[in-house]
Amino acid sequence: MAKRKPKAIKIEDNDLIRESYKRGILRWKLYDYQQELYDLILNAKTLKVVLNCSRRYGKSYVLSLIAIEHALRNKHNYIRFACPTCKSLKNIVKPIFTQILNDAPDEFRPVWKEQKSLYYFPSTGSEIHIAGADLQAENLRGAVSHLNLVDEAAFCTGGQGLEFLYKSILLPQTLTTGGKTILASTPSELQDSDFYKLCQE
C-alpha cells in the first residue's frame, strides 16, 4: 500500500486564527493521519481510552492539542496531563505546547505557572496541570478533573507506577465529573507491565 503524504492545513489569516482559538478548534493543526487518531479519541463512547501507537505517530502532539482545546472550550475545567518523567515534561511536553500555541492571540494565550506546574487560561479560567510520573505524580491530585491524559503510559514506571497513577490519583477525580481518561503509549515489551494489562482489558 502506498504511503500517504501527510497533509496539514495552514491558516495565515489572523481573523481565522483568532476565531479558531475563540471556539477552541485547533484540529486543523494536525496531519491527516493524526486527525484519525484525534477522531478515535473524541468519538470513543467509553470514559477510558487506551491507545497503543507506533513511535513517531505524533500522539504526544495530539494529546497536547486535545488538552488545549478542552481548556479553551470549557470554563473553569481542570485537565491533568502526565508523562513518564520530569525530563520528558521539560524536553517533550512543554515544547509541544509552545509549538501548538505559537500563533495564539494574546487574549487566548495561557500563562505558565512554574511553581504549580500548570497552564492557566485567563479566557476560560481552566487549568492544565502537567507532571512527570516519576517525581511529581502527587502534584496531579485535586478535588476534580474533567479530562485526564497520560502520555507514554507504558513507561510511567517511576514513582509508584502507572496503576497507582491511574487508579489512585487520576480516576477518583473524574467520579463526579464523568471526565474521560486517555492513556496512550508506544508498545511495551514487558507483558507484565501495567500498560500491557490495560491493553489486554
Side-chain angles (χ1 to χ4, degrees):
M1 179 168 39
K3 188 176 182 180
R4 289 182 301 163
K5 186 177 180 180
K7 293 181 181 178
I9 298 172
K10 288 188 177 180
I11 296 180
E12 297 180 354
D13 185 295
N14 288 336
D15 289 336
L16 289 177
I17 290 173
R18 183 185 177 281
E19 189 64 24
S20 73
Y21 276 93
K22 181 180 179 181
R23 297 187 182 190
I25 301 174
L26 304 178
R27 187 179 190 271
W28 54 272
K29 290 176 175 279
L30 301 173
Y31 291 116
D32 57 353
Y33 64 89
Q34 291 175 321
Q35 290 183 14
E36 294 175 5
L37 183 62
Y38 172 98
D39 290 337
L40 177 67
I41 293 170
L42 294 187
N43 292 333
K45 303 300 183 184
T46 58
L47 295 180
K48 177 177 69 177
V49 180
V50 180
L51 301 163
N52 198 15
C53 303
S54 62
R55 195 170 295 278
R56 303 300 299 169
Y57 201 88
K59 66 189 172 309
S60 298
Y61 191 96
V62 174
L63 294 183
S64 299
L65 186 135
I66 287 173
I68 292 168
E69 280 191 339
H70 189 98
L72 288 168
R73 291 179 186 176
N74 300 280
K75 291 186 179 295
H76 307 294
N77 268 215
Y78 297 92
I79 300 108
R80 316 289 175 182
F81 194 112
C83 53
T85 65
C86 294
K87 184 177 180 180
S88 59
L89 170 64
K90 178 182 178 181
N91 296 338
I92 300 174
V93 177
K94 286 184 66 180
I96 288 175
F97 271 66
T98 299
Q99 181 184 356
I100 293 172
L101 294 162
N102 68 348
D103 57 358
D106 289 343
E107 61 192 296
F108 301 112
R109 187 177 294 277
V111 177
W112 169 248
K113 299 194 174 186
E114 183 73 37
Q115 287 189 329
K116 295 184 178 180
S117 191
L118 66 84
Y119 287 95
Y120 173 71
F121 288 73
S123 60
T124 60
S126 291
E127 300 175 357
I128 302 176
H129 296 248
I130 60 176
D134 57 340
L135 300 175
Q136 302 173 325
E138 292 292 337
N139 291 352
L140 293 171
R141 285 195 188 276
V144 296
S145 178
H146 300 86
L147 176 66
N148 297 322
L149 305 105
V150 183
D151 188 27
E152 291 296 5
F155 304 95
C156 290
T157 55
Q160 293 180 276
L162 177 62
E163 185 174 16
F164 177 81
L165 172 67
Y166 167 60
K167 291 185 177 180
S168 298
I169 296 179
L170 297 178
L171 192 60
Q173 296 180 67
T174 63
L175 294 178
T176 57
T177 64
K180 184 175 289 187
T181 298
I182 304 161
L183 303 105
S185 187
T186 48
S188 170
E189 296 179 358
L190 302 175
Q191 295 192 1
D192 62 344
S193 70
D194 293 340
F195 184 72
Y196 182 83
K197 294 172 185 175
L198 284 171
C199 289
Q200 294 301 104
E201 289 178 13

